[in-house]
């Protein structure tokens, strides 16, 4: 039961990471179009860029996501003890994980990272007071 709960927590964190990357990008693009000043926040933009570049690098190097590995190890340990995957875990995993070839994800992640870098150039972040 403990492993299953931990796996669900990791899945929830993973979902939050995905939402941060996707929603952050949408807000940055909208901010460029609508000239929102807050999208130039240095901390936000650097963490957003690092989040997607990290994913792209993992994909390009063939490294499994540490959150995915940890979640699956915890779920496997739970299954060994006779527990099934939780309802919440199933919902989150169905949102985060898709069945497609690895090469396709690599292309998508790398292209998305490149687009985020382009937004970094188009609307560079600024330090406070500038």
């Amino acid at each position: 039961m403990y492993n299953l709960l931990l796996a669900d927590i990791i899945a929830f964190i993973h979902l939050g990471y995905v939402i941060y990357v996707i929603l952050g990008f949408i807000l940055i693009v909208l901010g460029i179009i609508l000239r929102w000043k807050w999208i130039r926040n240095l901390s936000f933009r650097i963490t957003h860029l690092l989040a997607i570049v990290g994913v792209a690098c993992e994909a390009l190097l063939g490294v499994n996501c540490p959150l995915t590995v940890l979640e699956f190890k915890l779920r496997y340990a739970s299954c060994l003890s006779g527990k099934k995957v939780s309802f919440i875990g199933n919902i989150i995993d169905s949102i985060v994980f898709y069945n497609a070839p690895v090469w396709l994800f690599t292309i998508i992640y790398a292209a998305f990272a490149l687009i985020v870098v382009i937004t970094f150039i188009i609307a560079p972040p600024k330090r406070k007071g500038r």
Side-chain angles (χ1 to χ4, degrees):
M1 186 68 163
Y2 178 70
N3 286 336
L4 191 57
L5 176 62
L6 285 177
D8 286 348
I9 290 169
I10 297 298
F12 189 73
I13 291 168
H14 203 173
L15 178 61
Y17 190 99
V18 171
I19 290 170
Y20 180 69
V21 170
I22 294 171
L23 185 60
F25 175 73
I26 292 167
L27 291 172
I28 290 167
V29 170
L30 282 174
I32 291 169
I33 294 167
L34 300 174
R35 301 182 190 262
W36 293 338
K37 291 183 181 181
W38 70 266
I39 61 118
R40 294 183 181 258
N41 178 285
L42 185 63
S43 299
F44 166 62
R45 294 295 295 282
I46 288 176
T47 58
H48 184 261
L49 178 66
L50 290 175
I52 188 56
V53 167
V55 169
C57 287
E58 286 173 358
L60 289 167
L61 296 172
V63 176
N64 290 324
C65 172
L67 292 172
T68 302
V69 171
L70 181 57
E71 179 192 347
F72 288 175
K73 281 185 179 182
L74 290 166
R75 290 210 189 284
Y76 178 72
S78 293
C79 289
L80 288 179
S81 66
K83 305 291 181 190
K84 294 183 179 180
V85 177
S86 71
F87 176 73
I88 298 296
N90 276 331
I91 291 172
I92 294 172
D93 285 354
S94 71
I95 295 169
V96 173
F97 300 109
Y98 292 92
N99 190 11
V102 173
W103 62 265
L104 181 60
F105 287 111
T106 302
I107 290 171
I108 291 169
Y109 297 150
F112 195 66
L114 182 61
I115 292 168
V116 171
V117 168
I118 291 168
T119 66
F120 218 79
I121 295 166
I122 291 171
K126 295 182 180 176
R127 290 185 177 157
K128 283 188 177 182
R130 287 188 160 193

